Amino acid sequence: MAIPVGSKAPDFTLKSKQASGLVDVKLSNNFGKKNTVLLFFPAAFTSVCTKEMCEISAGANNYSALNADVIGLSVDTPFTQEAWAQKEKINITLASYLNKQVIKQYDVVFPMLAGVGDTAARAAFVIDKNGIVQYSEQTPTPKDLPNFEKVKETLAKIK
């Protein structure tokens, strides 16, 4: 089960490949400034994950208007994430949890997905400016998408 609402969000520093090269994505950089939506997904270049990240990218302004950054997290290398983002025009920050520590901290491990190894279960978290989890959802299966309306409702309340 994903960590519950009211929990202190585990901080992390993960790698992301951006135009400037490899950069660190640190959750606590947003603390005191803005809210953060964390979207854990199993793997790039898969149909459901592509649908999810493309839909989020298309509506990224909705999250910015709610004073939130969106970070997509997957087991893929930052280089794979970059290639996927370019191919699919994904414009949110993607971060690699290659070492799998973060999925353990957030308790969203999906063991042996399709026999290839541990990945994240599909999950969504809203972390407020103080680093507290305000919304927590792990979907029943990797094919199910999080309830993005509830994510936005939560953001609107804590804006």
Side-chain angles (χ1 to χ4, degrees), residues 21-87:
L22 278 177
V23 299
D24 286 338
V25 174
K26 187 172 176 72
L27 176 62
S28 59
N29 283 348
N30 282 349
F31 294 176
K33 300 174 196 164
K34 57 175 55 180
N35 304 306
T36 308
V37 176
L38 300 180
L39 299 175
F40 287 88
F41 63 95
F45 291 102
T46 59
S47 62
V48 178
C49 296
T50 298
K51 178 181 185 224
E52 177 183 17
M53 291 302 123
C54 287
E55 285 179 10
I56 293 298
S57 290
N61 289 339
N62 296 325
Y63 294 94
S64 294
L66 293 168
N67 194 33
D69 276 346
V70 179
I71 303 170
L73 302 99
S74 76
V75 73
D76 306 287
T77 69
F79 309 103
T80 299
Q81 290 174 338
E82 179 190 38
W84 181 54
Q86 288 176 351
K87 178 181 184 291

Side-chain angles (χ1 to χ4, degrees), residues 96-118:
S96 172
Y97 61 76
L98 197 57
N99 69 8
K100 302 181 184 175
Q101 186 61 37
V102 172
I103 59 174
K104 293 173 186 167
Q105 291 173 316
Y106 280 80
D107 201 13
V108 292
V109 176
F110 191 98
M112 291 305 290
L113 179 70
V116 298
D118 295 349

Side-chain angles (χ1 to χ4, degrees), residues 131-157:
I132 305 300
V133 176
Q134 297 295 326
Y135 181 83
S136 173
E137 177 187 9
Q138 180 177 327
T139 64
T141 76
K143 293 181 180 184
D144 298 312
L145 293 177
N147 186 332
F148 293 116
E149 289 309 311
K150 287 194 178 188
V151 167
K152 288 182 225 172
E153 286 173 17
T154 301
L155 287 168
K157 290 177 189 171

